[in-house]
């Protein structure tokens, strides 16, 4: 089964999880990048959360990938205001998921990504995709090793 992992990551946690998935499933790994990278600081929370809350997109570099080449597509995002990050919204808004099997995943500072999963599921389905699973990894105060271990555990059921 050919898998694609597309992700956005501001502070590296989602990137780490995406890398674990790509390695475990021998998947193609593609990063979504904003044309103007965000500067870390207190403002990033306010500005980012507001945009996420409003389901806004942000300007991203072109993501050159043909979804039809893959049997399933993992889409990774940090949880922002209980929603996907704007860069991930942009990728979804500009992509046709007709007939595609999609597995969204989140990293989160909290413990619950139910709302974020419901939100991204609605967006993927609106674009014709079928959500075939999801998972979320808690990253708060977690070492890279802990995140990697959690990601390996979460991905087990998708290994075949
Ligand atoms: C703008 C912003 C909003 C956030 N909102 C939430 C939230 O609503 N719930 C949550 O659990 N974590 C929230 N977080 C924490 C991130 O989801 C968490 O640190 C994530 O693992 C970061 O992933 P990254 O390193 O790939 O960017 C927020 C972080 C930022 C920067």
């Amino acid at each position: 089964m050919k898998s694609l992992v597309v992700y956005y990551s501001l502070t590296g946690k989602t990137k780490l999880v995406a890398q674990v998935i790509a390695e475990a499933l021998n998947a193609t790994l593609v990063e979504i990048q904003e044309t103007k990278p965000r500067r870390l600081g207190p403002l990033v929370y306010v500005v980012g959360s507001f945009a996420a809350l409003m389901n806004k997109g942000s300007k991203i570099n072109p993501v050159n990938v043909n979804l039809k080449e893959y049997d399933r597509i993992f889409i990774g995002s940090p949880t922002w205001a209980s929603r996907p990050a704007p860069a991930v919204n942009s990728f979804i808004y500009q992509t046709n998921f007709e007939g595609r099997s999609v597995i969204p995943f989140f990293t989160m500072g909290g413990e619950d990504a139910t709302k974020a999963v419901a939100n991204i599921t609605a967006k993927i389905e609106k674009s014709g995709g079928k959500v075939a699973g999801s998972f979320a990894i808690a990253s708060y105060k977690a070492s890279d090793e802990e995140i990697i271990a959690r990601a390996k555990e979460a991905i087990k059921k998708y290994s075949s």
Side-chain angles (χ1 to χ4, degrees):
M1 193 180 274
K2 218 174 154 196
S3 301
L4 170 72
V5 183
V6 187
Y7 72 95
Y8 165 77
S9 182
L10 180 65
T11 58
K13 316 289 186 191
T14 312
K15 181 177 195 152
L16 203 53
V17 174
Q19 286 170 336
V20 169
I21 303 170
E23 198 179 324
L25 303 181
N26 199 18
T28 305
L29 186 60
V30 175
E31 182 173 11
I32 302 167
Q33 288 176 323
E34 294 188 313
T35 53
K36 207 171 143 228
R38 288 169 201 263
R39 283 223 202 105
L40 292 179
L43 257 190
V44 96
Y45 279 87
V46 180
V47 174
S49 294
F50 183 72
L53 202 60
M54 303 310 285
N55 296 300
K56 290 229 192 295
S58 59
K59 283 193 183 148
I60 58 171
N61 292 332
V63 181
N64 294 316
V65 69
N66 182 3
L67 299 194
K68 295 206 169 107
E69 289 175 9
Y70 299 93
D71 302 302
R72 56 184 178 184
I73 298 140
F74 291 83
I75 300 181
S77 176
T79 309
W80 284 11
S82 302
R83 285 169 170 72
V88 174
N89 286 336
S90 286
F91 172 67
I92 294 172
Y93 294 155
Q94 68 187 38
T95 302
N96 181 0
F97 286 98
E98 201 64 54
R100 302 291 97 203
S101 179
V102 186
I103 299 161
F105 65 95
F106 287 89
T107 64
M108 56 190 173
E111 289 293 329
D112 183 20
T114 314
K115 275 192 190 169
V117 169
N119 183 291
I120 202 168
T121 296
K123 286 168 180 159
I124 292 163
E125 286 177 348
K126 200 172 170 202
S127 172
K130 183 178 168 295
V131 171
S134 69
F135 57 94
I137 311 282
S139 66
Y140 186 63
K141 287 190 176 167
S143 65
D144 284 2
E145 289 69 29
E146 284 168 322
I147 292 173
I148 289 168
R150 288 170 193 173
K152 281 186 176 164
E153 188 59 36
I155 203 70
K156 265 186 193 162
K157 62 177 166 190
Y158 300 103
S159 308
S160 56

